[in-house]
Amino acid sequence: GEMVDGFLQQYRDGGWVARWSSPGYADLMVGTSSDVAFADAWLKGVQGFDPLEAYVAARKNATVVAPDRHVGRKGMARSTFRGYADTDTHEGMSWSMEGALNDFGIANMADALATQAKTATARERYATEALYFRHRAAGYSALFDPAIGFFQGRTPDGTWRVDAAQYDPRVWGHDYTESSGWTFAFTAPHDGQGLAALYGGRAGLAAKLDTFFATPETAEASFAGSYGSTIHEMTEARDVRMGMYAHSNQTAHHIPWMYLYAGQPWKTRRLTREILSRLYLGSEIGQGYPGDEDNGEMSAWYLFAAMGLYPLRMGTPDYVIGSPLFTHASLRLPNGGTLTVNALQNSPQNVYVQSLKVNGKPWRKTWLPHADIARGATLDFVMGPTPSRWGTGPDDAPPSLTPTGERPAPLRDVLGDTARITLADGGDVPALHDDDAGTVAAVASASALTFSGMARGTPTLYTLTSGNAAIAASGWTLEARTADGAWKVALDMFSSDLPVRRP
């Protein structure tokens, strides 16, 4: 909590939380990961910071066009409306994918704030914002190109950056930050079931993962892409010798755990144990670290995996279950309790979980709620040399943003490409519907704006944005035309803050 509050001091002093732990605001890293990190901490019961302040700082990252490149999310001027940052934003696809992860955390925090709100207005506001950000968290799917079976960037006109005939997922750079198309094929740990649906189901996700770990990274200069020549992340990924898996860089750390969504948890166990036993060795550069030890994340991966747990779905109070490294491990908790992990049959060969008991009771799911272990618990694993059926049932997989079998449901703009917004005199106001926050149109008080040419669909949310100044106080009436041509008031409200939804 004290650490989170230290980051929030940046928000108090400069109006933004830095994207990276360094002096001042540095243009480093992709995404505003404090959003999901703060949500994760608070939802797991961490105290010592103001959750509302953390939420407001995260919401600003997710909704406000930053004044310069050192803070906030890039590409926001258009991605707010389109649901993704296009190729005019450097590594826009990567910004979009990371944005979805952070929006997931914001949605969960808004849900929790709604349950604790003291007024009906506040509850409705947080619930509405949770709905909005939950749909945005599914926005990663807008960058999935079914013609190639990978995620890639989209140009400003919505077309794919690379034609399917020329696309090669082994190429680094361009849309992919310090990665290739293979690494970003699984950047949806918050929505494993939705990701599986994009690949045709759980078997399709498993097949994609199998190919990922079977395709060797060669680090050849011909695949350097926009980097022009081989970079150290490429050679490090090659030297891991686990296909395209690049444990040297954090963008890949969740991938071995994604087999849990594919109904093949034994592959997660085999892979994580291989990583633990083989990659954290050596006495040269790194002294045992297989890559960038950025803010302690490489060590944190080792410690979690060695305990047989991992926070795969950041922004939620739960952990997925792996394969513990030791026959016995105990973790002393700040509240005086102890988390004990026993795996008596454990060995370099016995890496597969046969069964698990939590505090003496059988447990079949491949995930655990934080609340079940936060005050202390005993996990008793039975290990064996061959895969078992433990944790393979459809209901044993970790929770997901999207239910099993359904495709992700990001927001879709029902105004469409043919929409117009006109004033009472019939004059068109294109700046109000051009999907660009960089354009501004002044609207006089008591103006009537008419929306026409909308695409078919049922609107569930609408947003009001201000191009160059905060909306200090405003009132508006929303009317809809009925089948007989009459206008009917659908919403009449006044707001001194962000609008909330009404049925």
Side-chain angles (χ1 to χ4, degrees):
E2 184 177 359
M3 183 181 294
V4 172
D5 190 65
F7 276 96
L8 288 174
Q9 188 62 43
Q10 300 169 341
Y11 177 72
R12 300 180 198 119
D13 292 341
W16 300 84
V17 175
R19 294 200 299 265
W20 183 242
S21 181
S22 61
Y25 294 115
D27 184 18
L28 298 173
M29 302 300 159
V30 176
T32 51
S33 297
S34 60
D35 305 343
V36 69
F38 296 168
D40 191 86
W42 191 57
L43 293 171
K44 287 175 178 169
V46 174
Q47 303 294 308
F49 68 97
D50 182 351
L52 181 56
E53 185 178 35
Y55 176 77
V56 170
R59 189 179 61 189
K60 182 176 182 178
N61 280 334
T63 59
V64 175
V65 178
D68 61 62
R69 61 185 175 87
H70 298 88
V71 295
R73 301 186 191 179
K74 295 185 179 180
M76 285 292 298
R78 292 206 291 250
S79 66
T80 298
F81 309 101
R82 297 181 176 180
Y84 59 87
D86 61 45
T87 54
D88 275 359
T89 297
H90 178 57
E91 299 175 342
M93 190 223 67
S94 297
W95 277 96
S96 300
M97 301 287 277
E98 293 291 335
L101 298 177
N102 286 285
D103 288 341
F104 177 69
I106 297 173
N108 292 335
M109 197 164 187
D111 265 334
L113 288 170
T115 64
Q116 300 182 16
K118 297 180 180 180
T119 67
T121 299
R123 283 194 296 273
E124 185 172 20
R125 168 181 172 163
Y126 288 127
T128 300
E129 292 176 356
L131 175 64
Y132 172 70
F133 284 112
R134 189 168 296 108
H135 280 292
R136 280 190 25 170
Y140 73 93
S141 60
L143 293 167
F144 181 75
D145 183 354
I148 61 174
F150 286 90
F151 295 87
Q152 70 160 319
R154 303 180 77 157
T155 64
D157 64 5
T159 58
W160 300 108
R161 186 184 66 84
V162 179
D163 183 75
Q166 281 75 46
Y167 181 83
D168 189 334
R170 297 172 296 175
V171 175
W172 284 58
H174 299 294
D175 302 318
Y176 313 112
T177 302
E178 296 180 355
S179 304
S180 69
W182 268 116
T183 296
F184 273 89
F186 310 101
T187 308
H190 65 301
D191 193 24
Q193 300 296 355
L195 181 68
L198 295 179
Y199 288 126
R202 297 206 306 169
L205 175 59
K208 195 76 172 183
L209 287 162
D210 289 347
T211 306
F212 171 82
F213 284 104
T215 302
E217 171 61 69
T218 63
E220 296 174 19
S222 58
F223 297 130
S226 62
Y227 292 111
S229 60
T230 300
I231 60 176
H232 71 86
E233 286 86 358
M234 295 175 67
T235 56
E236 290 164 353
R238 177 198 63 198
D239 295 345
V240 167
R241 302 191 309 281
M242 293 181 69
M244 283 289 169
Y245 181 63
H247 193 75
S248 61
N249 213 5
Q250 288 78 9
T251 52
H253 277 188
H254 65 287
I255 298 178
W257 307 90
M258 296 299 285
Y259 275 110
L260 302 180
Y261 287 115
Q264 299 182 7
W266 66 88
K267 292 180 180 177
T268 289
R269 266 125 224 155
R270 174 177 57 80
L271 291 164
T272 55
R273 285 293 290 272
E274 179 180 353
I275 294 166
L276 288 168
S277 64
R278 187 166 63 78
L279 299 189
Y280 285 84
L281 301 174
S283 58
E284 297 181 0
I285 295 175
Q287 296 294 316
Y289 291 110
D292 295 338
E293 171 62 330
D294 287 334
N295 284 180
E297 200 272 355
M298 194 69 71
S299 298
W301 194 100
Y302 181 94
L303 292 171
F304 270 115
M307 294 289 289
L309 302 170
Y310 189 71
L312 177 62
R313 300 174 69 241
M314 283 292 292
T316 60
D318 57 54
Y319 306 91
V320 295
I321 299 170
S323 174
L325 180 61
F326 305 108
T327 57
H328 173 82
S330 61
L331 183 67
R332 292 188 297 273
L333 304 174
N335 57 25
T338 300
L339 174 61
T340 301
V341 178
N342 298 313
L344 300 183
Q345 303 85 3
N346 210 342
S347 72
Q349 294 74 38
N350 291 355
V351 301
Y352 299 105
V353 177
Q354 309 297 303
S355 65
L356 169 65
K357 289 184 177 180
V358 179
N359 293 329
K361 297 181 180 180
W363 187 270
R364 285 201 59 85
K365 296 185 183 298
T366 58
W367 63 281
L368 272 171
H370 174 79
D372 287 5
I373 62 175
R375 297 189 177 277
T378 299
L379 310 183
D380 292 305
F381 288 87
V382 175
M383 309 298 292
T386 57
S388 72
R389 300 299 301 169
W390 182 85
T392 59
D395 296 331
D396 297 335
S400 179
L401 175 71
T402 303
T404 304
E406 296 184 15
R407 294 177 68 86
L411 293 172
R412 181 175 65 88
D413 185 0
V414 297
L415 286 181
D417 296 332
T418 61
R420 293 184 64 204
I421 299 179
T422 55
L423 293 169
D425 62 4
D428 196 4
V429 193
L432 295 184
H433 59 92
D434 63 356
D435 290 350
D436 190 345
T439 60
V440 177
V443 179
S445 177
S447 295
L449 300 172
T450 301
F451 297 75
S452 60
M454 292 194 297
R456 296 184 65 86
T458 303
T460 55
L461 289 170
Y462 71 97
T463 59
L464 299 181
T465 61
S466 178
N468 56 5
I471 303 175
S474 59
W476 62 92
T477 299
L478 180 66
E479 298 180 344
R481 192 187 296 273
T482 61
D484 61 4
W487 289 97
K488 180 180 179 180
V489 175
L491 177 69
D492 192 356
M493 68 181 300
F494 176 86
S495 175
S496 60
D497 201 353
L498 295 179
V500 296
R501 184 174 66 99
R502 293 283 193 275

